[in-house]
Amino acid sequence: MTSPASLSPASGAAGSVRPPESGAVMIRMEKVEKWYGTYHALQDINLTVTAGERIVICGPSGSGKSTLIRCINALEHHQGGRIEVDGTEVGASSKGLDKVRAEVGMVFQSFNLFPHLTVLQNCTLAPRKVRGIAPKEAEAIAMKYLERVRIPEQANKYPGQLSGGQQQRVAIARALCMNPKVMLFDEPTSALDPEMVKEVLDTMISLAQDGMTMICVTHEMGFARQVADRVIFMDKGEIVEQGPPETFFANPANERTRTFLGQILHH
Amino acid sequence: MIRQFTSAEFLFLLMAVRWTLLLSAIAFVGGALGGVLVALARTSPYAWLRAVAGTYIQIFQGTPLLMQLFLVFFGATMLGGGIDPLTAAAIGLTLNGAAFLGEIWRGCIQAIPKGQWEASTALGLHYVTRMREIILPQAAKIAVAPTVGFLVLLVKSTSLASIIGFVELTRAGQIVNNATFRPFLVFGIVAAIYFVLCWPLSLYSRHLEKKFGTVSR
């Protein structure tokens, strides 16, 4: 176990994330449209995320929030508008797509660790195969990030032997091993037992403190208050409202936002 | 002059087993190689490739194996190239095996949860790496049992090669019967030999199913 001090931004070398190039535009979405058949999943999405910014996206199920972040690394393909990640347009060329995927880390609701590989192998695969890093070096990087998520002792176990919270922390480490510029979180705590939510949120908070650019789809409003620079509310495929957490939670402007917040905050 | 069924006749049947085994082995290896291609084509991102593989499977699953063997055997002869019965049977069974194994393995590939594709895609892994490192190793685990099950089917299917004149176990049985006129005894023994070949495979398949039946998550 590492000491809590290692989670502060000052701790530097061991498992630190890439420092933000302050103010640079990291993600730009312009007039993005997405349909599933006749279902309009994303309507006129305009979103700019600068380096180091922490965004939380919330909204009712089916509101398009997962679809939005999945369009950023092209797990879903958008049909209209334009998406740029760190200056590279998503979907313009397959080479550009490779670049974007290598720079964007993603954490899923259901962890999606590779069950036939050990924790360490899960973490070293992409650095070796995509970045061409030598196995020994990839292992060193993996151990660094496994320590970062406070789970180095599980390196040689298989995902099936870990708890949900541990698996999700491994998934975060796996993404960090690619040294991404942006991290996308797609409801990372929704599949967890309540007692494991905190360990995953703590890991995410420490990442945020290190200046990682993050977009999190989550209903953890405590996390949003504590970490987010901006909270975005989506409904029916649209961005309905956005703002800093203080104003977003205190004075939501839109009726739909108020209804939604009323439902998730008061029960 | 009717011959007696003696140990010499029994030995003749036993010796024919090696041809059954050889044909099975060739067809299994060939079918497996073709089957991998068929399965990959069936799960490919390209619609036209999926359609080609789908048509291939439909043709070979929708016609009798015997007709396929006839078409290969007589087709090759018609095209001017003489073909020996072993080669014809091997080609026919290989093409047939590729269709069935391809379809079995397609199912195994598609049984791998979508999240595995998404996670490996999101990490930037390319198709070949994704298949080789993530999807196929997991699919192989669930494929083992049905594949051995198919092998049982294949061993029995080789008996059809007797009709194009290849002397394997069944054809040997016909030859012995023609000399001894003891059809019940002869074909009973032939059937028993097939059973001895196939039963252990069936047991093994069931054992593997228990061992690898589910993908560990």
Side-chain angles (χ1 to χ4, degrees):
Chain A
M1 280 292 151
T2 45
S3 69
S6 69
L7 296 176
S8 72
S11 65
S16 68
V17 298
R18 204 182 272 200
E21 303 127 54
S22 60
V25 172
M26 191 53 78
I27 295 170
R28 191 194 302 279
M29 301 179 89
E30 283 171 351
K31 299 195 173 88
V32 171
E33 302 281 341
K34 165 89 185 157
W35 286 268
Y36 292 111
T38 56
Y39 179 71
H40 207 167
L42 292 179
Q43 301 186 38
D44 191 29
I45 299 293
N46 292 285
L47 176 66
T48 304
V49 181
T50 55
E53 212 179 354
R54 281 94 58 165
I55 310 281
V56 164
I57 304 179
C58 60
S61 93
S63 59
K65 48 197 195 305
S66 287
T67 307
L68 188 155
I69 66 167
R70 289 160 62 89
C71 280
I72 294 172
N73 65 351
L75 283 186
E76 308 279 351
H77 298 281
H78 61 289
Q79 285 131 355
R82 187 181 162 86
I83 302 176
E84 264 180 36
V85 177
D86 199 25
T88 307
E89 185 176 354
V90 178
S93 68
S94 68
K95 213 176 166 197
L97 191 55
D98 292 344
K99 187 160 173 270
V100 166
R101 283 180 175 152
E103 300 295 351
V104 176
M106 189 165 205
V107 175
F108 299 86
Q109 180 176 352
S110 47
F111 329 136
N112 296 348
L113 293 177
F114 306 130
H116 62 302
L117 300 179
T118 64
V119 164
L120 191 62
Q121 290 167 336
N122 264 276
C123 292
T124 55
L125 183 67
R128 286 193 296 119
K129 300 291 177 184
V130 179
R131 297 255 194 246
I133 294 174
K136 281 275 169 256
E137 197 186 335
E139 281 180 19
I141 293 170
M143 287 312 298
K144 184 174 89 173
Y145 286 111
L146 288 171
E147 272 162 36
R148 173 70 206 264
V149 301
R150 290 178 292 140
I151 207 164
E153 71 281 1
Q154 313 286 5
N156 293 313
K157 289 198 180 159
Y158 285 89
Q161 297 169 285
L162 306 184
S163 73
Q166 290 174 322
Q167 288 192 50
Q168 194 60 300
R169 284 187 284 146
V170 170
I172 293 172
R174 178 176 69 177
L176 290 176
C177 284
M178 287 293 282
N179 196 16
K181 290 180 175 164
V182 183
M183 285 284 284
L184 307 174
F185 292 86
D186 190 0
E187 304 206 26
T189 57
S190 301
L192 293 175
D193 292 330
E195 73 272 20
M196 292 169 187
V197 169
K198 188 174 179 301
E199 64 188 65
V200 171
L201 288 181
D202 283 347
T203 308
M204 291 166 65
I205 289 168
S206 101
L207 262 185
Q209 284 167 348
D210 266 15
M212 174 61 80
T213 310
M214 297 165 67
I215 303 182
C216 313
V217 172
T218 182
H219 290 152
E220 296 291 336
M221 290 301 126
F223 173 79
R225 276 182 215 274
Q226 189 182 346
V227 169
D229 297 306
R230 202 168 6 141
V231 183
I232 292 174
F233 173 68
M234 288 185 72
D235 191 22
K236 301 194 173 87
E238 293 174 301
I239 293 180
V240 174
E241 182 167 355
Q242 54 181 308
E246 312 83 62
T247 46
F248 180 87
F249 290 111
N251 290 309
N254 191 288
E255 180 55 38
R256 280 191 278 176
T257 317
R258 282 197 290 274
T259 310
F260 176 74
L261 288 176
Q263 278 161 355
I264 64 164
L265 296 178
H266 310 294
H267 62 245
Chain B
M1 165 81 196
I2 296 172
R3 277 166 59 176
Q4 291 300 304
F5 188 90
T6 65
S7 58
E9 277 69 27
F10 183 71
L11 205 64
F12 180 72
L13 291 179
L14 270 189
M15 292 307 279
V17 168
R18 64 197 154 134
W19 296 110
T20 290
L21 291 178
L22 176 71
L23 184 55
S24 301
I26 295 173
F28 185 68
V29 171
L33 292 175
V36 169
L37 297 180
V38 171
L40 289 177
R42 281 283 279 149
T43 56
S44 102
Y46 304 107
W48 66 269
L49 200 52
R50 291 199 300 272
V52 169
T55 308
Y56 176 82
I57 290 169
Q58 286 306 319
I59 290 172
F60 279 90
Q61 290 196 341
T63 56
L65 174 59
L66 184 56
M67 295 308 128
Q68 293 161 21
L69 294 177
F70 278 163
L71 288 176
V72 171
F73 186 61
F74 295 119
T77 314
M78 209 179 68
L79 289 173
I83 191 168
D84 65 280
L86 173 60
T87 310
I91 292 173
L93 283 164
T94 292
L95 292 174
N96 184 270
F100 278 88
L101 284 173
E103 191 66 352
I104 291 171
W105 293 343
R106 172 200 60 81
C108 296
I109 288 172
Q110 289 178 341
I112 303 306
K114 213 169 143 238
Q116 296 289 308
W117 294 87
E118 292 182 347
S120 44
T121 306
L123 282 167
L125 298 173
H126 277 175
Y127 176 81
V128 175
T129 317
R130 207 152 63 204
M131 275 294 178
R132 198 181 52 213
E133 306 284 339
I134 306 298
I135 305 299
L136 294 184
Q138 294 184 65
K141 261 183 160 181
I142 36 180
V144 171
T147 301
V148 175
F150 174 77
L151 185 53
V152 173
L153 209 66
L154 185 68
V155 171
K156 292 184 289 184
S157 299
T158 57
S159 63
L160 289 175
S162 61
I163 301 189
I164 55 172
F166 179 59
V167 186
E168 37 62 75
L169 180 54
T170 301
R171 183 82 191 112
Q174 288 168 347
I175 292 168
V176 170
N177 178 51
N178 287 347
T180 61
F181 294 101
R182 303 280 302 274
F184 194 81
L185 176 69
V186 172
F187 292 118
I189 289 171
V190 167
I193 294 174
Y194 276 113
F195 185 80
V196 167
L197 294 179
C198 292
W199 192 49
L201 282 175
S202 291
L203 286 181
Y204 186 51
S205 167
R206 227 171 298 162
H207 165 75
L208 290 170
E209 197 173 326
K210 273 185 203 140
K211 196 170 161 195
F212 293 133
T214 51
V215 180
S216 61
R217 299 247 27 216

